[in-house]
Amino acid sequence: MNSVAAIWLTIELASITTLILLLAGTPLAWWLARGGGALRSSIEALVAMPLILPPSVLGFYLLLAFAPQSALGSLWQHVTGTRLAFSFSALVIGSVIYSLPFVVQPLQAAFRQLPEGLLEAAATLGAGPTDRWLSVVLPCCGHSFLAAASLGFAHTVGEFGVVLMIGGNIPGETQVLSIALYDHVEALEYGLAHRLAAGLMAFSFVTLLLLYRRGNRGLGRLSA
Amino acid sequence: MTASADTNAGLFSRIKLRRSAEFRLDIQCRFPQRGTTAIHGPSGCGKTTLLYCLAGLLAGDGDTCIRFGGQTWQDRRVFVAPHQRNIGFAFQDARLFPHLSVAGNLAYARRRARNSSGPSQGQVGDWLQLQDLLTRYPHQLSRGQQQRVAIGRALLSSPDILFLDEPLANLDLSSRREIMTHLQRLQGETDIPILYVSHNLEEVAKLADWLLVMEDGSILAEGPLQQLSAELSLAVAQEEQAAAILSAEFDALEPEYGLTRLSLEGQPLYIPGLKASAASVALRLRIPARDVSLCLSAPQDSSILNILAVTVEEIEAGGASRLLLKLRLGEQFLLARLTRKSVVKLGLQVGSRAYAQIKSVALLE
């Protein structure tokens, strides 16, 4: 039963994280790809940091930030009446930061490749900014949105270090798949560990397989 | 023929724009309200930049003022975004939406049309022969087909003015000819004013009524095409393809020879083929300067059919081996490119009377 709860919690965490990342990452990626200004390189570097930092570093600083005596932690406690550290909300915040580059970077690349000329053409045909976004950018970058969402979701599912640092191991609240797997191994329950590990392997493979197959098809269509 | 009569309406622009240390656009002009205005000049002279400013895809510097009809599109306080200017724009590189079929691209424009007065999808499809392409996607089209769709798409947004930016560049000769024919058809079917950017004189001669010659970001000359094409000082006349544009009237058919006789300032001029037309319709002709030679007396034994009495109006100055001559023919002008040696040998001067032998005439309509 432990495993089922962990699986559901993981799916819930990954879904919420992906949704937030798509909503917040899209304008960020657009700004990074098309906007500019002095801040761009710094923001780009910050976004990419989780790619190279050991998750425990990120987790350590998030743990400090979420502590009840910290500014963020006490504000959270004041507003919501609950503790932030070792909560599901803390996991969501951590996951959003941790998976940010996996969503922003594919979108940024797609936005950068989208020819400006198509948007200019749409404008001369009478399409305003929102209209251009919905009628040209979204359909032309559709594959990249799918890729960004899949990568964000899958990466959140596979997260371990950050969760361990800021979530602890509370069943039903913060005990996600990778932690449950760790528990099983610690308890020498290799059979249960295998079920989770093999499941994660299969999930990752299928996700990437579907993504690449679609990508290759899309590539063929666009380059023709 | 030209729209010089109503210069108070139409498109007025005063555009200043510094794009780099070397290039600056500085232009003031009023475009005719009707017909086709060709913007001609060497590449890099700012033709496309001018169109982009007019369309609002680029904003001119502070002094810029663009007005169209009753609206101000740009001045010190106002800048109307491109999607709020009622324009149609066909880009040199077509820019069809890759995720939409041809029908989808056309419908995209139709759905966003600012008014319902424009041509219907059926009409546009008919003029540009798009019916067979409707279900295809842009990557399945040839460049020429893409360009036709792009022009059709621009028309379907019901524009008040149509900008065509070198729509025939990058196309092979046969697609060029084909689209040119479609464009001529279009000119006959709609009365939307067209700004046509091109560095190709043949296209300009066929399509334009009014000509704007640009060089280094400014206007070198503007005026009716026929008048400007015979200005020796302009680059238009200096190019290898320099040609005079003249208008003639239909006179009679000579079916036994398969020729059509026209009347050019009262003198007969033959063109191949049988092209009957009403006598009152002005037919536009293009006579390349290199196909005109001169004799001092009327040749009696020449195989050349078209021999016109002319007066030398102007001789290009300079010591080049070949000179351009402007020849008066009633109210119109011919151009001839002769060697300087011939000019000296015949003693040609301004005011000399001569006979122009014309090797080729092209009917433009």
Short mmCIF file of all heavy atoms in Angstrom, two decimals, chain A residues 117-118 120-129 131-132 135-136 139-140 221 224, chain B residues 52 57 82-83 87 89 91 95-99 108-109 112 114 139 153-154 157:
data_model
loop_
_atom_site.label_atom_id
_atom_site.label_comp_id
_atom_site.label_asym_id
_atom_site.label_seq_id
_atom_site.Cartn_x
_atom_site.Cartn_y
_atom_site.Cartn_z
N GLY A 117 9.64 36.29 -39.39
CA GLY A 117 8.87 36.61 -40.60
C GLY A 117 7.43 36.11 -40.55
O GLY A 117 6.52 36.77 -41.04
N LEU A 118 7.21 34.96 -39.93
CA LEU A 118 5.85 34.43 -39.86
C LEU A 118 4.98 35.33 -38.99
O LEU A 118 3.81 35.56 -39.29
CB LEU A 118 5.86 33.02 -39.26
CG LEU A 118 6.45 31.92 -40.13
CD1 LEU A 118 6.34 30.58 -39.41
CD2 LEU A 118 5.74 31.86 -41.47
N GLU A 120 5.53 38.54 -38.49
CA GLU A 120 5.31 39.77 -39.25
C GLU A 120 4.20 39.58 -40.27
O GLU A 120 3.32 40.44 -40.42
CB GLU A 120 6.61 40.17 -39.97
CG GLU A 120 7.68 40.66 -39.02
CD GLU A 120 8.97 41.03 -39.74
OE1 GLU A 120 9.15 40.68 -40.93
OE2 GLU A 120 9.82 41.67 -39.10
N ALA A 121 4.23 38.42 -40.95
CA ALA A 121 3.19 38.15 -41.94
C ALA A 121 1.83 38.13 -41.25
O ALA A 121 0.86 38.72 -41.76
CB ALA A 121 3.46 36.82 -42.64
N ALA A 122 1.75 37.47 -40.11
CA ALA A 122 0.47 37.40 -39.39
C ALA A 122 0.01 38.80 -39.00
O ALA A 122 -1.19 39.12 -39.10
CB ALA A 122 0.62 36.53 -38.14
N ALA A 123 0.94 39.65 -38.60
CA ALA A 123 0.57 41.01 -38.21
C ALA A 123 0.00 41.78 -39.40
O ALA A 123 -1.02 42.46 -39.29
CB ALA A 123 1.78 41.75 -37.63
N THR A 124 0.64 41.64 -40.57
CA THR A 124 0.12 42.37 -41.73
C THR A 124 -1.25 41.82 -42.16
O THR A 124 -1.99 42.49 -42.86
CB THR A 124 1.07 42.30 -42.94
OG1 THR A 124 1.19 40.94 -43.37
CG2 THR A 124 2.43 42.85 -42.62
N LEU A 125 -1.56 40.60 -41.75
CA LEU A 125 -2.88 40.05 -42.08
C LEU A 125 -3.93 40.43 -41.05
O LEU A 125 -5.07 40.00 -41.13
CB LEU A 125 -2.79 38.52 -42.18
CG LEU A 125 -1.94 38.01 -43.35
CD1 LEU A 125 -1.69 36.52 -43.23
CD2 LEU A 125 -2.62 38.32 -44.67
N GLY A 126 -3.53 41.21 -40.06
CA GLY A 126 -4.50 41.73 -39.11
C GLY A 126 -4.51 41.02 -37.77
O GLY A 126 -5.41 41.25 -36.96
N ALA A 127 -3.54 40.14 -37.52
CA ALA A 127 -3.53 39.42 -36.25
C ALA A 127 -2.78 40.24 -35.19
O ALA A 127 -1.63 40.59 -35.38
CB ALA A 127 -2.87 38.05 -36.43
N GLY A 128 -3.45 40.52 -34.08
CA GLY A 128 -2.83 41.23 -32.96
C GLY A 128 -1.90 40.30 -32.19
O GLY A 128 -1.81 39.11 -32.51
N PRO A 129 -1.22 40.81 -31.17
CA PRO A 129 -0.22 40.01 -30.45
C PRO A 129 -0.76 38.70 -29.88
O PRO A 129 -0.16 37.64 -30.07
CB PRO A 129 0.24 40.94 -29.33
CG PRO A 129 -0.09 42.31 -29.81
CD PRO A 129 -1.28 42.19 -30.70
N ASP A 131 -3.50 37.08 -30.72
CA ASP A 131 -3.94 36.28 -31.85
C ASP A 131 -2.73 35.60 -32.51
O ASP A 131 -2.76 34.40 -32.79
CB ASP A 131 -4.65 37.21 -32.86
CG ASP A 131 -5.28 36.45 -34.00
OD1 ASP A 131 -5.16 35.23 -34.04
OD2 ASP A 131 -5.89 37.10 -34.88
N ARG A 132 -1.65 36.36 -32.70
CA ARG A 132 -0.44 35.80 -33.32
C ARG A 132 0.09 34.65 -32.47
O ARG A 132 0.54 33.63 -32.97
CB ARG A 132 0.66 36.86 -33.43
CG ARG A 132 0.36 37.97 -34.40
CD ARG A 132 1.63 38.66 -34.85
NE ARG A 132 2.23 39.53 -33.87
CZ ARG A 132 1.87 40.80 -33.66
NH1 ARG A 132 0.88 41.32 -34.34
NH2 ARG A 132 2.49 41.52 -32.77
N SER A 135 -2.39 31.69 -32.81
CA SER A 135 -2.61 31.14 -34.15
C SER A 135 -1.32 30.77 -34.86
O SER A 135 -1.35 30.03 -35.83
CB SER A 135 -3.40 32.14 -35.00
OG SER A 135 -2.64 33.31 -35.21
N VAL A 136 -0.19 31.28 -34.41
CA VAL A 136 1.07 30.95 -35.08
C VAL A 136 2.07 30.29 -34.12
O VAL A 136 2.52 29.18 -34.36
CB VAL A 136 1.72 32.21 -35.72
CG1 VAL A 136 3.01 31.82 -36.43
CG2 VAL A 136 0.76 32.86 -36.70
N PRO A 139 0.70 26.69 -32.43
CA PRO A 139 0.72 25.52 -33.33
C PRO A 139 2.09 25.21 -33.90
O PRO A 139 2.43 24.04 -34.08
CB PRO A 139 -0.28 25.89 -34.43
CG PRO A 139 -0.53 27.34 -34.30
CD PRO A 139 -0.24 27.72 -32.90
N CYS A 140 2.90 26.24 -34.18
CA CYS A 140 4.22 25.97 -34.76
C CYS A 140 5.16 25.34 -33.75
O CYS A 140 6.09 24.64 -34.11
CB CYS A 140 4.85 27.25 -35.32
SG CYS A 140 4.13 27.77 -36.88
N ARG A 221 8.77 16.46 -41.34
CA ARG A 221 7.73 17.29 -41.93
C ARG A 221 8.24 18.72 -42.13
O ARG A 221 8.00 19.34 -43.16
CB ARG A 221 6.51 17.30 -41.02
CG ARG A 221 5.29 17.94 -41.62
CD ARG A 221 4.07 17.62 -40.78
NE ARG A 221 4.23 18.07 -39.40
CZ ARG A 221 3.95 19.31 -39.00
NH1 ARG A 221 3.51 20.18 -39.86
NH2 ARG A 221 4.12 19.66 -37.76
N ALA A 224 11.13 19.25 -44.93
CA ALA A 224 10.79 18.97 -46.33
C ALA A 224 10.54 20.27 -47.10
O ALA A 224 10.21 21.28 -46.52
CB ALA A 224 9.56 18.09 -46.40
N TYR B 52 8.76 48.33 -45.17
CA TYR B 52 8.62 47.91 -43.78
C TYR B 52 8.17 49.08 -42.90
O TYR B 52 7.38 48.91 -41.98
CB TYR B 52 9.93 47.33 -43.26
CG TYR B 52 10.04 45.83 -43.42
CD1 TYR B 52 9.88 45.24 -44.67
CD2 TYR B 52 10.28 45.01 -42.34
CE1 TYR B 52 9.96 43.87 -44.82
CE2 TYR B 52 10.37 43.63 -42.49
CZ TYR B 52 10.21 43.07 -43.73
OH TYR B 52 10.28 41.71 -43.86
N LEU B 57 6.22 47.55 -39.72
CA LEU B 57 7.10 46.48 -39.22
C LEU B 57 8.41 47.06 -38.72
O LEU B 57 9.13 46.43 -37.97
CB LEU B 57 7.35 45.46 -40.33
CG LEU B 57 6.10 44.72 -40.80
CD1 LEU B 57 6.38 43.87 -42.03
CD2 LEU B 57 5.53 43.85 -39.69
N PRO B 82 1.23 47.28 -37.00
CA PRO B 82 0.95 46.74 -38.33
C PRO B 82 -0.43 46.08 -38.45
O PRO B 82 -1.08 46.24 -39.48
CB PRO B 82 2.05 45.69 -38.55
CG PRO B 82 3.06 45.91 -37.50
CD PRO B 82 2.50 46.82 -36.47
N HIS B 83 -0.85 45.37 -37.39
CA HIS B 83 -2.12 44.65 -37.53
C HIS B 83 -3.31 45.60 -37.54
O HIS B 83 -4.43 45.18 -37.82
CB HIS B 83 -2.26 43.58 -36.44
CG HIS B 83 -2.40 44.12 -35.05
ND1 HIS B 83 -1.32 44.46 -34.28
CD2 HIS B 83 -3.49 44.37 -34.30
CE1 HIS B 83 -1.74 44.89 -33.11
NE2 HIS B 83 -3.05 44.85 -33.10
N ILE B 87 -3.40 46.95 -44.49
CA ILE B 87 -2.49 46.73 -45.59
C ILE B 87 -2.46 45.26 -45.96
O ILE B 87 -2.86 44.40 -45.18
CB ILE B 87 -1.04 47.13 -45.20
CG1 ILE B 87 -0.66 46.40 -43.91
CG2 ILE B 87 -0.94 48.63 -45.02
CD1 ILE B 87 0.80 46.49 -43.59
N PHE B 89 0.52 42.57 -47.48
CA PHE B 89 1.96 42.56 -47.69
C PHE B 89 2.35 41.18 -48.20
O PHE B 89 2.13 40.19 -47.54
CB PHE B 89 2.68 42.85 -46.36
CG PHE B 89 4.08 43.38 -46.50
CD1 PHE B 89 4.48 44.54 -45.84
CD2 PHE B 89 5.02 42.72 -47.28
CE1 PHE B 89 5.77 45.05 -45.96
CE2 PHE B 89 6.31 43.21 -47.42
CZ PHE B 89 6.69 44.37 -46.75
N PHE B 91 5.54 39.11 -49.03
CA PHE B 91 6.98 39.19 -48.79
C PHE B 91 7.74 38.44 -49.88
O PHE B 91 7.22 37.54 -50.52
CB PHE B 91 7.31 38.57 -47.43
CG PHE B 91 6.70 39.31 -46.27
CD1 PHE B 91 5.42 38.99 -45.83
CD2 PHE B 91 7.38 40.33 -45.64
CE1 PHE B 91 4.84 39.67 -44.77
CE2 PHE B 91 6.81 41.00 -44.57
CZ PHE B 91 5.53 40.68 -44.15
N ARG B 95 6.52 33.45 -46.86
CA ARG B 95 6.13 33.38 -45.45
C ARG B 95 4.75 32.78 -45.22
O ARG B 95 3.94 33.32 -44.47
CB ARG B 95 6.18 34.77 -44.80
CG ARG B 95 7.54 35.38 -44.90
CD ARG B 95 7.67 36.62 -44.09
NE ARG B 95 8.99 37.20 -44.25
CZ ARG B 95 9.40 38.32 -43.67
NH1 ARG B 95 8.56 38.98 -42.91
NH2 ARG B 95 10.59 38.78 -43.85
N LEU B 96 4.48 31.67 -45.89
CA LEU B 96 3.22 30.98 -45.63
C LEU B 96 3.35 30.27 -44.29
O LEU B 96 4.44 29.88 -43.89
CB LEU B 96 2.96 29.97 -46.74
CG LEU B 96 2.84 30.57 -48.14
CD1 LEU B 96 2.57 29.47 -49.16
CD2 LEU B 96 1.75 31.63 -48.19
N PHE B 97 2.21 30.11 -43.61
CA PHE B 97 2.25 29.42 -42.32
C PHE B 97 2.43 27.93 -42.56
O PHE B 97 1.59 27.30 -43.21
CB PHE B 97 0.96 29.70 -41.54
CG PHE B 97 0.75 31.16 -41.27
CD1 PHE B 97 -0.41 31.79 -41.66
CD2 PHE B 97 1.74 31.91 -40.65
CE1 PHE B 97 -0.60 33.14 -41.42
CE2 PHE B 97 1.56 33.26 -40.42
CZ PHE B 97 0.39 33.88 -40.80
N PRO B 98 3.51 27.34 -42.03
CA PRO B 98 3.82 25.95 -42.36
C PRO B 98 2.82 24.96 -41.79
O PRO B 98 2.69 23.86 -42.29
CB PRO B 98 5.21 25.73 -41.75
CG PRO B 98 5.34 26.77 -40.70
CD PRO B 98 4.51 27.94 -41.14
N HIS B 99 2.09 25.37 -40.73
CA HIS B 99 1.18 24.42 -40.10
C HIS B 99 -0.20 24.45 -40.73
O HIS B 99 -1.08 23.69 -40.33
CB HIS B 99 1.07 24.71 -38.60
CG HIS B 99 0.56 26.10 -38.29
ND1 HIS B 99 1.30 27.23 -38.53
CD2 HIS B 99 -0.62 26.52 -37.78
CE1 HIS B 99 0.60 28.29 -38.16
NE2 HIS B 99 -0.56 27.88 -37.70
N TYR B 108 -7.03 32.06 -43.06
CA TYR B 108 -6.43 32.86 -41.98
C TYR B 108 -6.60 34.34 -42.29
O TYR B 108 -6.98 35.13 -41.42
CB TYR B 108 -4.95 32.51 -41.87
CG TYR B 108 -4.24 33.09 -40.66
CD1 TYR B 108 -4.01 32.32 -39.53
CD2 TYR B 108 -3.80 34.42 -40.64
CE1 TYR B 108 -3.36 32.83 -38.42
CE2 TYR B 108 -3.16 34.95 -39.53
CZ TYR B 108 -2.95 34.14 -38.43
OH TYR B 108 -2.31 34.67 -37.32
N ALA B 109 -6.30 34.69 -43.54
CA ALA B 109 -6.41 36.10 -43.95
C ALA B 109 -7.87 36.54 -44.02
O ALA B 109 -8.23 37.61 -43.54
CB ALA B 109 -5.74 36.30 -45.29
N ARG B 112 -9.58 37.39 -40.79
CA ARG B 112 -9.12 38.61 -40.14
C ARG B 112 -9.30 39.84 -41.01
O ARG B 112 -8.79 40.91 -40.69
CB ARG B 112 -7.65 38.45 -39.74
CG ARG B 112 -7.47 37.47 -38.59
CD ARG B 112 -6.05 37.02 -38.42
NE ARG B 112 -5.91 36.09 -37.30
CZ ARG B 112 -6.23 34.80 -37.36
NH1 ARG B 112 -6.69 34.28 -38.48
NH2 ARG B 112 -6.09 34.03 -36.30
N ARG B 114 -10.44 43.17 -42.55
CA ARG B 114 -10.98 44.32 -41.81
C ARG B 114 -12.34 44.74 -42.34
O ARG B 114 -13.07 45.46 -41.69
CB ARG B 114 -10.03 45.51 -41.91
CG ARG B 114 -8.74 45.35 -41.14
CD ARG B 114 -7.74 44.56 -41.95
NE ARG B 114 -6.38 44.72 -41.42
CZ ARG B 114 -5.31 44.20 -42.01
NH1 ARG B 114 -5.44 43.47 -43.10
NH2 ARG B 114 -4.12 44.39 -41.50
N HIS B 139 5.14 23.35 -47.80
CA HIS B 139 6.37 22.68 -48.22
C HIS B 139 6.17 21.79 -49.45
O HIS B 139 7.13 21.30 -50.02
CB HIS B 139 6.97 21.88 -47.06
CG HIS B 139 6.18 20.66 -46.68
ND1 HIS B 139 5.19 20.67 -45.73
CD2 HIS B 139 6.23 19.39 -47.15
CE1 HIS B 139 4.68 19.45 -45.62
NE2 HIS B 139 5.28 18.67 -46.47
N ARG B 153 -3.19 35.47 -50.36
CA ARG B 153 -3.46 35.62 -48.93
C ARG B 153 -3.49 37.10 -48.56
O ARG B 153 -4.38 37.54 -47.84
CB ARG B 153 -2.37 34.88 -48.15
CG ARG B 153 -2.61 34.82 -46.66
CD ARG B 153 -1.53 34.05 -45.94
NE ARG B 153 -0.25 34.74 -45.99
CZ ARG B 153 0.83 34.36 -45.31
NH1 ARG B 153 0.77 33.30 -44.54
NH2 ARG B 153 1.96 35.02 -45.41
N ALA B 154 -2.53 37.86 -49.09
CA ALA B 154 -2.50 39.30 -48.80
C ALA B 154 -3.78 39.97 -49.30
O ALA B 154 -4.35 40.82 -48.62
CB ALA B 154 -1.27 39.94 -49.41
N SER B 157 -7.11 39.63 -47.16
CA SER B 157 -7.33 40.38 -45.93
C SER B 157 -7.99 41.73 -46.25
O SER B 157 -8.04 42.61 -45.40
CB SER B 157 -6.02 40.56 -45.17
OG SER B 157 -5.15 41.39 -45.89
#
